[in-house]
Amino acid sequence: MRHFIISTSDRLHFLMRRVAVFAVCVMFATVIVQIIARYVFSSPPVWTEDVARYAMVWTGLLGATLSFKTQSDAVLMQSVFPEPPNMLAVFAKAVQSVAVLTFILPVIYFCFIGLKGGFAKGYLARQSGLTADTLGIPMVWISVAVPVSMVIILLHLVARWAGDDTLENPAAQLD
């Protein structure tokens, strides 16, 4: 089971890195189109700003999963104790896990469940009723980045506790 969790986390990390790079490329391309259309043709397409913004949302949230997996996020006690004693390391890992869970679990919960407990009033349900003006697509396609990234971070956290050594083993980060 331990190997399955870690390999699933590694595969998701590999896939999310590709998706995040694609989102950055989409964002870059739409901004370039907007700049050229605005300053060369004096007529920028209305959709470029929204596409760039939504690509940036996906990039940022997927980037958070990437930094969490590689532990390039803020790590407790790393600068104070480069190699902390075993009990201190376990305690720091537990405190960090509690902090991550304190943030992630309510976000996941309220993505699906509303404040009064119904599925119809959750964040994703409210977003499914809205449409992006310039693109004409349901906003849920943009908003789904929030629960997707939170669930991926949760899986990476489980992989850390299962013994994922991505930080200690640089070869594990290579594709």
Side-chain angles (χ1 to χ4, degrees):
M1 186 66 168
R2 175 185 173 284
H3 177 70
F4 174 75
I5 292 170
I6 294 171
S7 67
T8 302
S9 173
D10 290 342
R11 280 189 227 117
L12 262 176
H13 178 70
F14 178 82
L15 178 65
M16 291 306 108
R17 187 182 316 169
R18 288 340 179 241
V19 174
V21 167
F22 176 75
V24 167
C25 292
V26 167
M27 182 174 56
F28 178 76
T30 55
V31 168
I32 292 299
V33 166
Q34 185 177 32
I35 289 170
I36 291 171
R38 174 170 289 158
Y39 295 109
V40 175
F41 302 113
S42 298
S43 179
V46 294
W47 55 268
T48 55
E49 187 175 334
D50 283 347
V51 170
R53 181 183 311 123
Y54 301 146
M56 184 178 68
V57 168
W58 273 92
T59 300
L61 289 168
L62 293 179
T65 69
L66 299 176
S67 67
F68 188 82
K69 170 70 174 174
T70 59
Q71 297 188 33
S72 54
D73 56 339
V75 178
L76 222 64
M77 307 294 254
Q78 187 174 4
S79 62
V80 178
F81 300 106
E83 292 183 28
N86 192 27
M87 286 305 294
L88 187 58
V90 171
F91 178 72
K93 190 174 177 182
V95 168
Q96 183 187 32
S97 297
V98 167
V100 168
L101 291 173
T102 300
F103 175 73
I104 286 181
L105 293 179
V107 170
I108 293 172
Y109 178 82
F110 287 113
C111 279
F112 301 103
I113 309 294
L115 292 175
K116 296 182 181 177
F119 283 105
K121 297 293 181 181
Y123 173 68
L124 291 178
R126 291 190 315 269
Q127 294 300 310
S128 67
L130 301 174
T131 303
D133 293 333
T134 58
L135 300 174
I137 62 170
M139 289 296 293
V140 73
W141 291 111
I142 292 94
S143 304
V144 77
V146 174
V148 165
S149 63
M150 296 299 123
V151 167
I152 292 170
I153 289 173
L154 190 60
L155 179 67
H156 291 330
L157 180 65
V158 171
R160 277 187 193 179
W161 280 100
D164 189 1
D165 63 347
T166 302
L167 180 65
E168 294 84 20
N169 183 4
Q173 295 180 23
L174 298 176
D175 301 330

